[in-house]
Amino acid sequence: MAAVRVAVFRGATVHDGTGAPSRPADVVVEAGLITAVEAGAPAPVGAEVVDASGRAMLPGFIDAHSHDDAALFRPGGLDPKTGQGVTTTVLGNCGLGVAPSSPGLAESATPVLGPFPDRHWPTFGDYLAEIAAEARAVNTVALVPHAPLRAAALGFERRPATAAEVDAIAGTAASALDAGAAGISLGLMYAPGDEATRDELLALATAAARHDRLLVAHIRNEADHLRASIDEMADLARATGARLHISHLKVTGPANAGGMPAIIDHLDALRDEGIDVTADVYPYDAGSTTVASLFPPDAQGALVALLSDPTTRRPLLARLDHPWPATALENQWAAVGPGRILLAGFPATMAEYEGLSVAAIAASRAQDPLDALADLVVGAAGQLTVVVFHTDPDGVRQALAWPHTLVGSDGLPREAGFVHPRLYGTFPRALTLGVLPFDAALARMTSATADRFGLARRGRIEVGAAADLQLVDLGAYADRATYDDPRRSPAGLAGVWVGGVRVGAASAGQFLRPAPAAPAGPNKSG
């Protein structure tokens, strides 16, 4: 199919992404932009005419929280995005990324980002330049991730950065913002970002504030210390004026079920105080992350070695049966147990374990679950991911209902093996969950996200906006990705266009630099 950049969509029901009611209209696209949205709009000479009657036209979704940093360079790496109507992806989340390149970075981040490309980027700006140099399947927005900056300055040493190293980390972050990054992303649950002191975080927050960019944070704890972890970020925003965004807001751990209303009240109080804070949410009762996150922070950097040595293995495994009072990190194993933790990312020789719980694998091997976990981590060289059923589902719905949340998939992109269904189904699931009216939910995934990240002319179907579009048969539209069968795109998606070019015909995705932010509006939660 040829790439057509002039088209008219006839007879669509347009949901424009602003929250306004739908209306019948023809949509005209020329040179990547929408030039008309009106009934009976004349077709430009030579335009392709697309019969959209009986279908809904929506803006393409904007994924506020992705881990597509390396997937951009892998064949088919972005198929799960376009397959669910995503036309823009925000990279660099949880403080994890592929640049600047440094020893050990790929080994530490591959479980989340998937295989790294065979590239070397001395600076984050070099990475952005390579993204911008070539059209890709979707548009990209980049946060500069903290972990690679820290690794470039002092490696993966588990210690506070010196004053000189803090200056270097903040300086490279500022250079990345100058190069077009939309904000700074922290991953305070993961090594090496979890070692950052307040001085280091304050320097990064200051850089974000001076550039009028977001400070985005995977906070330290989403369970017993959720409020304190939010307050750590709020204190940085209070001290610097940085605009704050909390990654994948949720309440985890059975003991904390029912806690989300109090957290929302607290976030509202912060907004009433003048702190510009928002969040993103994915609509599932399980999270997914590295297998290293099941272990105490001081063990994560040398996990395979510690589990391979009989003298260190047993004491380390014994720590999984009890909370870790000396650290803010949640002990997920103790909270939910081996029956609610699934494993993925195995090498081909261990593929029979993909997607099974630790308890089920242990039973099949006639092992204690902790010993089975240790053997599997060593056998897979530490490169496993987990799907952990630890999230309060009512809390997810309450978080989605908060007026200041966006939607992000947090999908871990892998082209083979078991994955969390959020990689394929986040947006159709959130749109049809019924927490919000359809057009209000759509706005959270389109125009509101564009506004928060400073993306001009995105997330809307209006004259002058970029033609990032999807055509949907709402009568058949349904999320089909499940934990049992996660690699399924939604039913009813008839087509996706990025920059006016239909996905599958050619690539037209651009690297998007943020525009200056608008002033924060008043808190209107209710």
Side-chain angles (χ1 to χ4, degrees):
M1 181 187 300
V4 177
R5 295 185 66 85
V6 180
V8 56
F9 297 85
R10 291 289 188 206
T13 299
V14 173
H15 299 258
D16 67 13
T18 68
S22 64
R23 66 189 190 278
D26 300 331
V27 178
V28 180
V29 173
E30 300 182 69
L33 299 177
I34 297 169
T35 59
V37 184
E38 59 183 90
V45 175
E48 176 190 23
V49 178
V50 178
D51 182 7
S53 57
R55 292 173 174 169
M57 175 156 280
L58 321 178
F61 299 127
I62 301 173
D63 190 344
H65 187 112
S66 88
H67 292 290
D68 295 325
D69 310 59
L72 292 176
F73 299 91
R74 301 196 301 264
L78 297 174
D79 289 353
K81 291 294 161 66
T82 56
Q84 60 176 304
V86 171
T87 55
T88 299
T89 185
V90 181
L91 319 170
N93 283 282
C94 297
L96 303 174
V98 298
S101 302
S102 64
L105 184 63
E107 291 80 1
S108 70
T110 290
V112 171
L113 305 182
F116 273 42
D118 185 16
R119 305 282 206 284
H120 180 78
W121 295 291
T123 71
F124 194 73
D126 295 325
Y127 170 68
L128 297 185
E130 183 158 353
I131 293 176
E134 181 181 339
R136 303 184 185 277
V138 299
N139 304 306
T140 50
V141 179
L143 304 170
V144 54
H146 176 216
L149 303 185
R150 198 173 208 272
L154 66 150
F156 286 85
E157 296 181 48
R158 296 200 61 78
R159 63 171 176 83
T162 66
E165 289 164 344
V166 167
D167 288 344
I169 293 166
T172 54
S175 295
L177 297 174
D178 289 335
I184 297 173
S185 169
L186 307 173
L188 300 183
M189 177 179 158
Y190 300 111
D194 64 326
E195 283 290 315
T197 63
R198 185 177 187 277
D199 286 346
E200 184 175 341
L201 298 177
L202 192 64
L204 292 167
T206 299
R210 286 177 176 169
H211 286 76
D212 195 20
R213 298 287 186 261
L214 292 175
L215 181 66
V216 180
H218 179 143
I219 56 179
R220 294 189 193 273
N221 189 289
E222 297 167 332
D224 299 352
H225 304 290
L226 173 57
R227 176 165 171 162
S229 297
I230 290 172
D231 283 344
E232 179 183 22
M233 294 297 101
D235 180 58
L236 297 175
R238 191 179 289 116
T240 64
R243 297 183 292 125
L244 180 62
H245 184 80
I246 304 297
S247 295
H248 41 62
L249 178 65
K250 57 185 176 291
V251 173
T252 65
N256 299 299
M260 184 57 76
I263 292 299
I264 290 174
D265 286 345
H266 185 53
L267 290 169
D268 279 338
L270 293 175
R271 290 183 62 86
D272 288 339
E273 179 189 336
I275 294 174
D276 184 0
V277 57
T278 54
D280 58 66
V281 182
Y282 55 79
Y284 295 90
D285 61 349
S288 185
T289 186
T290 67
V291 75
S293 70
L294 299 181
F295 294 85
D298 60 324
Q300 293 181 11
L303 185 58
V304 173
L306 291 169
L307 293 175
S308 299
D309 184 343
T311 64
T312 53
R313 170 176 170 141
R314 185 53 49 195
L316 175 56
L317 291 179
R319 295 173 68 186
L320 268 65
D321 279 332
H322 308 283
W324 302 324
T327 173
L329 190 65
E330 176 189 7
N331 184 341
Q332 299 177 85
W333 180 276
V336 302
R340 296 182 63 78
I341 299 174
L342 314 182
L343 296 179
F346 288 97
T349 55
M350 304 170 71
E352 70 268 26
Y353 301 130
E354 281 284 331
L356 299 181
S357 72
V358 179
I361 297 171
S364 74
R365 294 162 59 107
Q367 279 186 293
D368 174 82
L370 282 173
D371 283 322
L373 175 66
D375 287 347
L376 295 167
V377 171
V378 172
Q383 297 297 295
L384 298 178
T385 60
V386 293
V387 173
V388 183
F389 290 87
H390 59 10
T391 305
D392 176 16
D394 289 335
V396 170
R397 297 177 68 91
Q398 290 154 355
L400 283 167
W402 189 48
H404 310 293
T405 51
L406 312 174
V407 175
S409 71
D410 198 15
L412 310 189
R414 287 181 176 270
E415 287 71 64
F418 181 80
V419 293
H420 192 300
R422 67 192 186 188
L423 183 63
Y424 285 80
T426 290
F427 290 88
R429 181 179 177 86
L431 189 59
T432 59
L433 198 58
V435 173
L436 297 170
F438 183 92
D439 286 296
L442 178 63
R444 300 287 191 87
M445 308 177 204
T446 55
S447 63
T449 310
D451 292 347
R452 189 58 171 161
F453 286 91
L455 308 181
R457 303 190 306 176
R458 304 282 167 176
R460 295 165 169 81
I461 299 179
E462 61 185 25
V463 174
D468 300 332
L469 305 167
Q470 53 180 320
L471 201 57
V472 174
D473 179 355
L474 290 182
Y477 192 60
D479 168 34
R480 300 188 298 172
T482 66
Y483 292 108
D484 291 330
D485 190 6
R487 292 185 178 273
R488 301 188 74 195
S489 297
L493 183 59
V496 179
W497 288 259
V498 176
V501 176
R502 185 163 186 158
V503 168
S507 295
Q510 304 173 30
F511 172 63
L512 305 180
R513 291 173 171 81
N523 185 19
K524 295 182 179 178
S525 180

